[in-house]
Structure formats: C-alpha cells, structure tokens
C-alpha cells in the first residue's frame, strides 16, 4: 500500500517481510486462501520493484502447521515475535514501551505496528515514539540490534 516507503526501507538495507493483506487469522481460513493472500502481497512487492521476500509473519503470530509446512517447502522463513508492544490496543508510547521492555530477553524479536487503526489516515505517532523509547532503553541495558539476514533460506 506504500511502495515508496517499502522501497526506501529496502534501499536502507532492511528486510521486508510478508504479513498478508487484511490481518485475518491464517489459522481461521483454508491454507490455500492464506497462500493466495501471501502471493497477492508478493505481487505488490514485484509491482513496487522489490525483490520477493522470504520472510512471512502471520497476523497475530498464528500459523497452523499445514500452512507452516507449505511455506517452508516453498523456501519461506516463518518469523514469529516474542515481545509484542500491544500497540493495536493503545497508542500511548510509554504503555507500548513498558510492555515491550518487560517481555524482551536476549534474542527477542520485537513486534510493533504502524498503528492500531487500519485506516490510512490513522495516527501512528505513538508506535513511532515508542520505538525510539524502546531502542534507547534497550541500548542502555546493553542490547544490540540485528536484522533477519541470518535467517535467509
């Protein structure tokens, strides 16, 4: 939905993953429906001039075994998350940071969204501000940050 942003993220050297389109639970639809949605996003990457992504993270971090197996056979890397910020419930930066920091341990994958409202005009400033707070506080604790590069198939 934001090809310019996706290109800028890619050009800065960051991985871009596939999360499907509608946020529907992949465990609540047939595997072929979930795969169609993932393939549709792959087409959007291609339309934006981006390489195909190997990374897939299911909405709500829910993969059923049949979908996980099919994705893995197709060379996909299933990405989870261990420190969600609950930013789908609030846009209070301190609240988002507090829950994320409480759940973070070495090796965590942080899960933040671009806001809790799917509308394009939604205010996402709380998640953005929380990301800065989280990064500063984790660096103060000695944490370092790494991309998903080592997870390539």
């Amino acid at each position: 939905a934001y090809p310019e942003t996706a290109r800028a993220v890619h050009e800065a050297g960051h991985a871009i993953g596939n999360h499907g389109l509608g946020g529907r639970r992949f465990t609540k639809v047939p595997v072929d429906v979930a795969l169609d949605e993932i393939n549709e996003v792959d087409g959007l990457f291609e339309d934006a001039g981006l390489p195909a992504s190997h990374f897939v993270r299911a909405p709500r971090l829910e993969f059923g075994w049949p979908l996980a197996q099919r994705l893995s056979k197709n060379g996909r890397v299933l990405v989870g998350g261990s420190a969600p910020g609950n930013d789908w419930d609030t846009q209070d930066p301190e609240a988002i940071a507090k829950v994320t920091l409480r759940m973070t341990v070495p090796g965590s994958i942080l899960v933040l969204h671009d806001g809790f409202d799917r509308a394009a005009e939604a205010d996402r400033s709380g998640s953005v501000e929380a990301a800065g707070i989280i990064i500063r506080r984790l660096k103060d604790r000695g944490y370092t940050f790494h991309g998903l590069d080592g997870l390539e198939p």
Side-chain angles (χ1 to χ4, degrees), residues 18-133:
N18 190 321
H19 187 48
L21 283 174
R24 78 170 86 202
R25 291 177 160 175
F26 288 163
T27 54
K28 302 290 185 192
V29 298
V31 170
D32 288 334
V33 171
L35 289 171
D36 286 346
E37 189 170 311
I38 292 165
N39 290 333
E40 188 173 346
V41 172
D42 287 343
L44 294 173
F45 288 159
E46 185 177 334
D47 291 348
L50 296 167
S53 176
H54 299 290
F55 303 113
V56 176
R57 184 180 75 75
R60 300 179 188 224
L61 304 172
E62 294 177 355
F63 281 107
W65 176 246
L67 177 61
Q69 194 172 31
R70 292 266 302 269
L71 289 170
S72 182
K73 284 181 181 178
N74 290 327
R76 300 293 190 134
V77 176
L78 307 177
V79 178
S82 52
N86 293 352
D87 57 351
W88 54 86
D89 283 336
T90 182
Q91 278 295 286
D92 175 348
E94 284 295 334
I96 295 167
K98 181 179 178 180
V99 72
T100 303
L101 292 166
R102 186 179 69 236
M103 298 180 79
T104 301
V105 297
S108 287
I109 295 179
L110 309 182
V111 180
L112 296 174
H113 298 81
D114 63 352
F116 67 158
D117 186 338
R118 291 191 183 124
E121 65 277 0
D123 179 12
R124 294 161 168 85
S125 59
S127 295
V128 173
E129 187 177 339
I133 294 167

